Amino acid sequence: MEQKAQEGHFGVFDPTGKTMVGLGVYTYLVDGDVPAVDVGLSVLPAYRKKGVAKGAMQWAMCRARNRGMVRLSVEYKTVNTAVRDLLLSLGQPVAKDTLDGTQLAEITLPVADGQSHLLEATHLHLSSAWPAHT
């Protein structure tokens, strides 16, 4: 039985942690017995190919692991080889479906540990330095 999804977003920061250079979105969903997260990212062109997206995806994966998710899903255009290469650098993605030039890939997430909690806390500390909108 499918349960209600939880959605959110997060900032993508440059390596110094001082400049927000993109945005990520996530959806947690338990479909059947498999808790999973669907993640999407957008990074400013000037910061692409510099490890920013990889760092953001590693954080998103840690956050998901810390909440009991066991699978990460990413949907991308097959012509976007940068996303394919990013996924390959993060684990062993399994191609699920391809439809009209769009690929769905999944990565099995390891169980949460001290490192995953530390990485999540570090990112939250950096993002909390941003002033709240009024």
Side-chain angles (χ1 to χ4, degrees):
M1 170 182 271
E2 189 173 298
Q3 297 179 359
K4 185 177 180 183
Q6 177 187 355
E7 300 175 340
H9 62 277
F10 57 95
V12 176
F13 295 89
D14 73 349
T16 69
K18 296 179 181 177
T19 305
M20 193 164 116
V21 298
L23 183 66
V25 294
Y26 64 86
T27 303
Y28 297 136
L29 180 64
V30 178
D31 187 7
D33 293 329
V34 182
V37 61
D38 182 39
V39 176
L41 283 182
S42 180
V43 175
L44 293 172
Y47 290 90
R48 293 179 186 159
K49 304 256 187 225
K50 296 183 180 181
V52 172
K54 184 173 184 176
M57 285 297 287
Q58 288 171 328
W59 176 83
M61 292 168 74
C62 286
R63 184 169 173 87
R65 289 168 53 192
N66 295 345
R67 281 151 186 78
M69 302 296 118
V70 297
R71 184 179 66 212
L72 169 101
S73 299
V74 176
E75 189 175 285
Y76 64 96
K77 295 291 184 187
T78 55
V79 296
N80 191 341
T81 57
V83 173
R84 183 201 64 219
D85 294 345
L86 171 63
L87 293 175
L88 286 170
S89 75
L90 293 169
Q92 297 295 320
V94 175
K96 289 303 209 181
D97 296 313
T98 304
L99 181 64
D100 295 329
T102 300
Q103 177 71 56
L104 174 63
E106 295 179 347
I107 295 176
T108 300
L109 299 174
V111 175
D113 59 15
Q115 282 295 110
S116 64
H117 288 283
L118 179 61
L119 183 58
E120 180 182 359
T122 300
H123 180 86
L124 290 175
H125 174 73
L126 290 172
S127 62
S128 68
W130 286 75
H133 295 301
T134 56

